[in-house]
Structures are given as C-alpha cells and as structure tokens.
Amino acid sequence: MIMENTSLENLQYPIGKYIIPSSITEKHLKEWIAILEHLPSRLEKMVTPLSKQQLETPYRPGGWTVRQLVHHISDSHHHSYIRFKWGLTEDNPIIKPYLEKEWSNLFDAKTAPIDMSLNHLKAVHAKLVYLLKGLSSEDLNRKFIHPDGNEETTLLENVSRYAWHGTHHFTHIKNLIERENW
C-alpha cells in the first residue's frame, strides 16, 4: 500500500531526474563505474527472494511491475553497451533509440523468469565495466547523437546517465519492498 504522503513524482523519480553534471571529475567516473559494477549483484540479491505475486506488483500506480523493471534494466543497459561501442568505433554516430515502453509490454518482459535478465545484466555489465576501465580521457570525450532532439552525448556523460539509470530503477524496487514491508 502506498503511503498517502508519497507523491507520484517522488515514486517515479525517487533519486531525482537525471541531470548532466556540469563538471565531471575522475572521482565521479570511478564512483559511476563502481555503481555499474555492483548493480547486477545488488539487484539479484534484492529481487531473487521475491514471490511471483511480488514480482507482479507495480512499483507505483500505473508503473511497471518489478518483473518488467528487471527486464527493462537488462534491455536498456544492453542498448547502452552497444552505444558505447558505436561511440568508440564511429565518428559521432546517430544511435538507434528503442521504444522502451513497448519493449516492456512484450510477452517476455511481462512473463519471463527474472533470472534470464539478471544473468544477461551480469554479462553485459562485466563487459561494460571492463571496457570503461580501459578507456582514455580521449575515448570518454567521444560522442554520439540521440535522434530524439539531436542531443549530443559524450561517452563520459553516458557513464553518468547509466549509473543514474540503474540506481533509479533499483531504488524503485527497493522503495516498493520497504513500503510493502516485504
């Protein structure tokens, strides 16, 4: 049951909306890579004990279920990994977006065992973190363009965005578990 004093926006953005940092230090980068490195195991530890009924619970009214969130994180971070590769191997490429809401309404996102996405996330993050730890400052300043608004993003900013993204959805689930006293 959602507490009355919890606003919908607080449920939707429990850590706030993503803001591109104006200044990024080496310390920030190391912190973000650590977040990405540990997300798969932290998420697995949190969601594995949940029952089928709990996995079918939306994190907020009108929001995705825990199962859909787990599959979404895996799908989204898979796309992010590919975007890093494009940014490193092509000159300012225009990336392909994906329709995340539609993906989360597909049969697999609504019914597949979460272990599939937890295992996929472990593999993607192991590869991503290994890659990120080996990038130079020059590499991290390479860019790609998102076609929605023609927004140019550096790979360094993308590390920040996906550390935020993983934490954002992890916190959705964590807060639900705490509200429901599971």
Side-chain angles (χ1 to χ4, degrees), residues 16-66:
K17 293 183 180 182
Y18 176 72
I19 298 170
I20 297 172
S22 58
S23 174
I24 300 175
T25 66
E26 183 68 27
K27 182 180 178 198
H28 288 122
L29 179 61
K30 286 181 181 181
E31 288 171 0
W32 297 331
I33 291 172
I35 289 168
L36 292 169
E37 186 170 18
H38 299 291
L39 176 66
S41 61
R42 292 178 64 227
L43 182 63
E44 181 178 43
K45 183 178 179 182
M46 183 171 62
V47 299
T48 299
L50 297 179
S51 70
K52 183 177 184 202
Q53 181 180 359
Q54 291 167 331
L55 291 173
E56 302 312 320
T57 305
Y59 78 92
R60 65 170 172 85
W64 290 330
T65 65
V66 173

Side-chain angles (χ1 to χ4, degrees), residues 150-179:
N150 286 324
E151 183 182 345
E152 202 171 63
T153 299
T154 67
L155 298 187
L156 184 58
E157 291 165 350
N158 207 44
V159 178
S160 166
R161 179 176 281 109
Y162 277 85
W164 174 88
H165 184 263
T167 303
H168 167 73
H169 288 306
F170 179 91
T171 306
H172 284 151
I173 300 167
K174 178 179 159 286
N175 288 353
L176 173 65
I177 289 169
E178 289 172 358
R179 281 194 315 273

Side-chain angles (χ1 to χ4, degrees), residues 64 68-76 98 100 104 165 169:
W64 290 330
Q68 287 172 298
L69 280 169
V70 171
H71 292 308
H72 165 71
I73 295 166
S74 175
D75 289 341
S76 180
Y98 80 108
E100 63 182 41
S104 290
H165 184 263
H169 288 306

Side-chain angles (χ1 to χ4, degrees), residues 69-171:
L69 280 169
V70 171
H71 292 308
H72 165 71
I73 295 166
S74 175
D75 289 341
S76 180
H77 289 216
H78 179 98
H79 280 272
S80 179
Y81 175 71
I82 297 302
R83 291 169 180 175
F84 278 104
K85 292 286 197 155
W86 283 333
L88 289 165
T89 60
E90 299 176 25
D91 290 330
N92 216 17
I94 297 174
I95 62 162
K96 177 157 177 38
Y98 80 108
L99 303 173
E100 63 182 41
K101 290 176 185 169
E102 287 80 353
W103 280 48
S104 290
N105 283 320
L106 292 173
F107 174 76
D108 62 332
K110 288 184 167 188
T111 64
I114 60 171
D115 288 350
M116 293 168 63
S117 283
L118 292 171
N119 290 334
H120 180 251
L121 192 66
K122 282 184 217 173
V124 168
H125 274 237
K127 291 183 71 159
L128 176 61
V129 167
Y130 189 86
L131 175 69
L132 294 176
K133 286 181 176 180
L135 297 182
S136 67
S137 294
E138 184 178 284
D139 292 333
L140 289 164
N141 283 312
R142 292 183 62 90
K143 298 175 182 178
F144 61 75
I145 298 170
H146 197 292
D148 294 342
N150 286 324
E151 183 182 345
E152 202 171 63
T153 299
T154 67
L155 298 187
L156 184 58
E157 291 165 350
N158 207 44
V159 178
S160 166
R161 179 176 281 109
Y162 277 85
W164 174 88
H165 184 263
T167 303
H168 167 73
H169 288 306
F170 179 91
T171 306

